[in-house]
Amino acid sequence: MKRIIFLTLAVFTSYSAIAKNESMLLNTVEANLEKVEKHPKSTGTIAQLAKKTNGHSLMMLRSFKKGEVGSPHKPGNKAVRVGIVIQGTLYYGVGETVDPTKEKTYQPGDVILMASNDTYWMAARDNDTSIIFTFIPPEQLNPALLKQMQ
């Protein structure tokens, strides 16, 4: 199934599109993503959409097949994750063990803020699910968003 994502200006646009201040539609199935791989600490796949010069992600596409439940893990860096669900229903929980009674659900278009010090899990219980994550250093995040996370 083709997943189509609308991203504006900064991601996967050609230099001419940027120069013309245009936006474009990205087809993730046909896009030449540099790397699609299994998540190293959990289930599902990841594809970097943008990265720093050191190779760490600035933006990534995380995908789960229906029924996949990620193991609880803590992020490997201090960045706040801002996730936008683009397909399916994301089940998200915080804690050392997976507990469906503690999960919150997020639908396409919902935005989730994930603190860098939380141990968390994600699941695609009902359908295939995809999320785009952007990684932002806490000191660069809007103070109002930081307050929401407390």
Side-chain angles (χ1 to χ4, degrees):
M1 180 170 132
K2 291 188 177 184
R3 290 170 287 187
I4 301 194
I5 306 165
F6 180 75
L7 299 173
T8 57
L9 298 177
V11 181
F12 283 92
T13 57
S14 68
Y15 289 112
S16 62
I18 292 171
K20 294 177 185 175
N21 199 25
E22 293 178 353
S23 58
M24 63 185 296
L25 198 59
L26 171 65
N27 182 325
T28 59
V29 173
E30 294 176 4
N32 184 16
L33 297 177
E34 181 176 312
K35 200 177 205 182
V36 176
E37 58 187 30
K38 294 292 288 174
H39 190 280
K41 297 179 184 176
S42 190
T43 58
T45 59
I46 57 173
Q48 284 188 333
L49 300 177
K51 62 184 178 179
K52 297 178 185 178
T53 54
N54 65 5
H56 293 163
S57 289
L58 286 171
M59 181 180 276
M60 78 173 177
L61 174 66
R62 181 84 190 270
S63 298
F64 296 91
K65 294 289 184 196
K66 178 182 177 181
E68 288 185 322
V69 178
S71 27
H73 65 282
K74 193 174 269 201
N77 61 42
K78 303 221 182 277
V80 173
R81 282 144 178 77
V82 179
I84 301 172
V85 179
I86 59 170
Q87 174 188 349
T89 301
L90 173 67
Y91 289 79
Y92 172 82
V94 175
E96 299 290 329
T97 58
V98 175
D99 181 352
T101 65
K102 294 182 180 177
E103 292 175 346
K104 293 182 181 179
T105 58
Y106 296 88
Q107 302 299 321
D110 287 349
V111 177
I112 181 172
L113 296 171
M114 299 167 62
S116 60
N117 57 348
D118 284 343
T119 298
Y120 68 93
W121 73 89
M122 294 185 287
R125 299 192 182 283
D126 303 330
N127 40 41
D128 291 354
T129 303
S130 296
I131 312 100
I132 290 182
F133 285 106
T134 301
F135 303 88
I136 302 172
E139 66 275 6
Q140 294 178 1
L141 198 63
N142 181 309
L145 294 180
L146 284 173
K147 188 175 180 179
Q148 280 185 23
M149 294 176 67
Q150 296 175 352

